[in-house]
Amino acid sequence: MELYAQSAYELTRLLHSRQVSALEILESVLKRIEAVDGRPGTLDPGEFTEEDRRKVHAFITLTAERARAQAQEVDRKLAAGEDPGLLAGVPFTVKDIFCVQGTPSTAGSRILANFVAPYTATPVARMEAAGGVMVGKVNLDEFTYGSSNESSAFQPCPRNPWNPDRVPGGSSGGSTASVAAREVPLSLGSDTAGSIRQPAAFCGVVGMKPTYGRVSRYGMIAFGSSLDCPGPIARDVRDAALMLQVIAGQDHHDSTAAALEVPQYVALLEGGVKGMRIGLSPDYFRIAIPDIQTGEYALQPLPEAFSAAVHRAAAALADMGAEIIENVPMPNTRYGIPAYFVISRVEAASNLHRFDGVKYGYRTSQPVQDLRSLYRKSRAEGFGLQPKLRILMGMYVSAAQYSEQYYRRALQVRSLIRRDFEQAFDPQGEYRLDALLTPTTPTTAFGFGEVYGDTVLMQYADQLTVPANHAGVPGISIPAGFASDGMPIGIQFLGADFTEEKILRIARAYEIATQSEEWRKACPQERQ
Ligand code: GLN
C-alpha cells in the first residue's frame, strides 16, 4: 500500500521501525495531493473547468515547506535517539478556522483572507509537538456557517471524493474530503452543531465531537462559544483515538478546557462491549420540520437505509455481548434546531463584532467619513451572506424587547435537551445507557446547489447531531455502509460527559465486527 493511504497508526509503526522516514511519508502525501486535489480555493477563481469539477479542492493553503522542516525535525530526533512523539511523521490538515502561526488563517471569509495568525491554536500546537506534520489549511463554510462548504469565499470549494457532483458536507468539508481522498490520514475539524460528524458521514470517514471542554478552543476562531468543539477526523477509529489522545486536556489559555486527566484512549480501545447498555431512540429515527405558518411539526421518517444501518449495527453489537435498550425517549430532540438557530446566532453576532476593519483582516479601500463608516464598509464588503444573515438574526433575537421570547426560551429548551441525555445516561436511572446509537444524518450527501440557498433546510442536516452540542456530550460518527445512491451512510454513538473512551471502544467494536464486509473494500477512487 502506498504511504499516503496508510493509517496514522501504521505510519508511526513504520517510522519507529525505521522502515520509512518522515520525509518519505510527506513526499508521498504531497504527491497524492498534487494528483487529486486540483487548484486550491481562492477569492477570485475565474471560470471553472471540467477538470475543476473532478478534483477534491480540499485546500486553501498548502504549507509544503513548513511541513518539510517539520518532517526533517522528526527524522533528526529519531536519528538522535530522542522521542519524536505519538504522532511522529503523521501528515495532517487543519480546518482553516484554527490559527497557525505564520500561515493565513482565513475562516473561509474575505474578511480574514489577508490575516496571518501570530500564534498557533492549542490542538494544532499539540499535534505538532507530538511530531505531527501539518501539510496545510483546508476549506470550510465561511466562519463554519453551513453544512455543504458551498458558502466559502474561497472557490472552487471541496467536492465529495465519492462523487464530485455531491457536496462533502460541512462545515469541516475540506477536512473530511482530504481524509476520504487519502490525501492525509488525519484532520483537525470543529463541531458546533454537527460540523465534524455530518461531513464525516457524507464522506465515509470517522469524525468525533468530544465533550465540550475536552479539547481547548484556544486559537480557534469562535462561532458559538458555548457549543464549539475541536475534534479529530480520521479513516478509522484507532486513528481518531490516537489524535484525541494528543489534542485533549487542560490548557491555561482556555478556562473552559476541563482540568481532567486524559485517558489512554488507544490502549483502552479494544476492551469490547460485553455488558454495555446501548440505547436506540425513536426520536432519532425521524426528522421533525416545523411548519412556519402553523408552528406544528411535520414528522418524516428517515430513509429505510439509515434505520437499517443502525439496526444492523445494534445487532452486531448485541452479538458481541452488548445489551440493546429500545425506545429510549429523547423527546426534545426535535427542538434542537430551533433552539440552535437562536443561540448560535446570538453567539455568532457577538463573536463577529471584532471584525471591524481596524484590528485585523480586510479593510475597505473606499473613502470613509468617520470610524463608523469604516466599520460599515469593511464589514459590508468583507462578510459574505451567511455572516450577515447571522448578525441580523442574532441582534434581533437578543434585542431587549425580544430576548425573553426567543433567546431566554431557547436557553430553557437547551436545558430540556440536556435533561434527556442526563436521564438516558443516569447510572441509577431507568435506562442506564453507556451510549445512544443513532443515524448521523437524515440524508446522504446532497448535490451542489440542491440545498444551498435554503438556510432552514440546510440547518436540518444537523438535526441528529446538534443535541449533543446543546448538551455538551461527546459523539462519534463512523461509516456504516452505503445507500442506494452509492454514497456513504454514517452512524453515531453519543455518550455521557467525558466518556470518549467508551464511545470509541463501541465504535471500534463495530469496526471489528464488520471488518470483512464487502462495503469496507470500497475506495472513493474506484467510484469515480
Ligand atoms: N450547519 C451548521 C450551521 O450552519 C454548522 C454548524 C457547525 O457545526 N459549525 O450553523
Side-chain angles (χ1 to χ4, degrees), residues 95 143-147 170-171 190-196 223 340 344-345 386 390 458-459 462 469:
K95 182 179 185 179
F143 282 102
T144 83
Y145 304 161
S147 305
S171 61
S190 71
D191 192 311
T192 306
S195 274
I196 288 177
F223 166 10
Y340 169 79
S344 71
R345 267 64 178 175
Q386 278 299 322
R390 291 181 192 221
M458 187 69 92
Q459 199 76 89
D462 298 327
N469 300 78

Side-chain angles (χ1 to χ4, degrees), residues 455-499:
T455 308
V456 175
L457 205 58
M458 187 69 92
Q459 199 76 89
Y460 276 84
D462 298 327
Q463 183 157 107
L464 308 178
T465 47
V466 74
N469 300 78
H470 284 306
V473 299
I476 186 168
S477 177
I478 58 171
F482 294 87
S484 55
D485 61 359
M487 299 306 288
I489 292 178
I491 57 171
Q492 172 179 241
F493 295 99
L494 301 172
D497 296 342
F498 300 104
T499 59

Side-chain angles (χ1 to χ4, degrees), residues 291-527:
D291 182 317
I292 311 286
Q293 308 304 331
T294 63
E296 295 294 310
Y297 279 81
L299 295 177
Q300 289 170 14
L302 291 196
E304 166 61 23
F306 287 73
S307 5
V310 171
H311 285 112
R312 269 200 313 274
L317 293 164
D319 279 349
M320 298 175 99
E323 201 176 329
I324 305 300
I325 319 294
E326 300 209 44
N327 291 319
V328 179
M330 302 292 285
N332 295 295
T333 306
R334 68 174 64 174
Y335 306 121
I337 291 298
Y340 169 79
F341 210 87
V342 173
I343 295 168
S344 71
R345 267 64 178 175
V346 172
E347 296 187 11
S350 156
N351 278 320
L352 290 173
H353 276 306
R354 70 195 67 165
F355 305 107
D356 55 10
V358 176
K359 292 189 281 294
Y360 35 59
Y362 180 86
R363 175 178 299 180
T364 184
S365 51
Q366 310 241 357
V368 294
Q369 301 77 39
D370 53 19
L371 191 58
R372 190 171 282 260
S373 76
L374 169 74
Y375 290 164
R376 282 208 181 120
K377 286 188 174 147
S378 300
R379 284 164 71 85
E381 292 165 19
F383 284 137
L385 184 63
Q386 278 299 322
K388 285 178 183 160
L389 282 173
R390 291 181 192 221
I391 291 167
L392 286 173
M393 188 62 81
M395 300 306 283
Y396 180 83
V397 296
S398 61
Q401 64 273 42
Y402 300 120
S403 70
E404 274 295 306
Q405 186 183 343
Y406 294 114
Y407 184 56
R408 224 173 82 87
R409 212 153 149 220
L411 291 177
Q412 288 168 335
V413 170
R414 185 174 182 180
S415 306
L416 294 177
I417 294 172
R418 167 82 192 170
R419 204 160 70 194
D420 285 352
F421 284 100
E422 282 171 356
Q423 285 170 353
F425 296 133
D426 180 357
Q428 266 82 51
E430 187 177 346
Y431 303 102
R432 303 183 303 284
L433 298 187
D434 292 293
L436 187 71
L437 165 57
T438 82
T440 309
T441 58
T443 64
T444 55
F446 21 87
F448 280 93
E450 246 174 42
V451 181
Y452 190 57
D454 185 332
T455 308
V456 175
L457 205 58
M458 187 69 92
Q459 199 76 89
Y460 276 84
D462 298 327
Q463 183 157 107
L464 308 178
T465 47
V466 74
N469 300 78
H470 284 306
V473 299
I476 186 168
S477 177
I478 58 171
F482 294 87
S484 55
D485 61 359
M487 299 306 288
I489 292 178
I491 57 171
Q492 172 179 241
F493 295 99
L494 301 172
D497 296 342
F498 300 104
T499 59
E500 284 81 2
E501 79 279 4
K502 242 189 227 178
I503 55 174
L504 283 163
R505 208 163 105 188
I506 301 170
R508 177 69 187 138
Y510 171 78
E511 237 176 33
I512 293 172
T514 54
Q515 67 192 357
S516 55
E517 288 186 8
E518 204 49 37
W519 62 269
R520 288 230 177 253
K521 300 196 183 105
C523 254
Q525 204 173 258
E526 274 81 58
R527 298 243 162 173

